[in-house]
Amino acid sequence: MSSPCSSFAHHGMFGHIRRFDYGLLWLNLIALLTISFMPFPTAMLGARLDADDQFPVAFNAASMTVSSVILTLTWLYARNRRLVDATPGSGELKSFTTRAVVTSVVFLISIGAAFAGLMPAALCWLLMIPAARLAARRLSG
């Protein structure tokens, strides 16, 4: 059996939200709207006929960035309004927050990389998880 602190990093943010208010509900609706939009830029990316056409890559990267930023803002709102479970240590909350912010920043960087091609953008997306984990470790250690 693991402690609440060690299991915190393995659950999504909504698993730790214990209360809500209207601001959180609106942010959640906006987040769901951005996520439900994702099949469109993904289909554009998959249907691109010209390997030199960077618009679908940049549009997909921008769409993922918007979703990531809204989810990060939703988490920050819930944390700052004390709507989250109080059991995880502040270090765990800080680590989760750092990973969310780094993920949004990497998606933002991938928009610029998308103009260089699909491979540079995809490389950004692949490096996102280790970058977020490294940033969280450095912050806590």
Side-chain angles (χ1 to χ4, degrees):
M1 182 168 143
S2 63
S3 71
C5 289
S6 65
S7 66
F8 182 78
H10 301 290
H11 296 288
M13 76 172 158
F14 291 104
H16 298 287
I17 294 177
R18 298 296 178 234
R19 295 179 292 124
F20 68 92
D21 62 13
Y22 288 111
L24 183 64
L25 288 175
W26 277 105
L27 284 168
N28 186 43
L29 285 173
I30 294 168
L32 290 171
L33 178 67
T34 65
I35 292 166
S36 68
F37 179 74
M38 286 307 300
F40 178 66
T42 304
M44 282 183 63
L45 182 62
R48 76 184 187 137
L49 300 174
D50 184 3
D52 293 330
D53 185 11
Q54 302 314 328
F55 176 77
V57 181
F59 185 58
N60 191 56
S63 298
M64 290 191 299
T65 301
V66 170
S67 289
S68 181
V69 166
I70 293 298
L71 286 168
T72 299
L73 290 174
T74 302
W75 169 253
L76 292 172
Y77 178 87
R79 192 195 70 178
N80 292 337
R81 301 281 292 203
R82 292 184 169 86
L83 303 174
V84 298
D85 186 7
T87 54
S90 64
E92 290 292 324
L93 290 174
K94 200 178 287 187
S95 175
F96 193 85
T97 302
T98 300
R99 287 193 312 271
V101 170
V102 168
T103 298
S104 293
V105 169
V106 170
F107 273 131
L108 184 63
I109 292 168
S110 78
I111 295 171
F115 288 105
L118 179 59
M119 291 309 291
L123 184 60
C124 283
W125 303 330
L126 288 173
L127 294 176
M128 181 178 5
I129 293 172
R133 287 185 179 167
L134 180 64
R137 274 195 206 127
R138 286 188 179 221
L139 182 70
S140 65

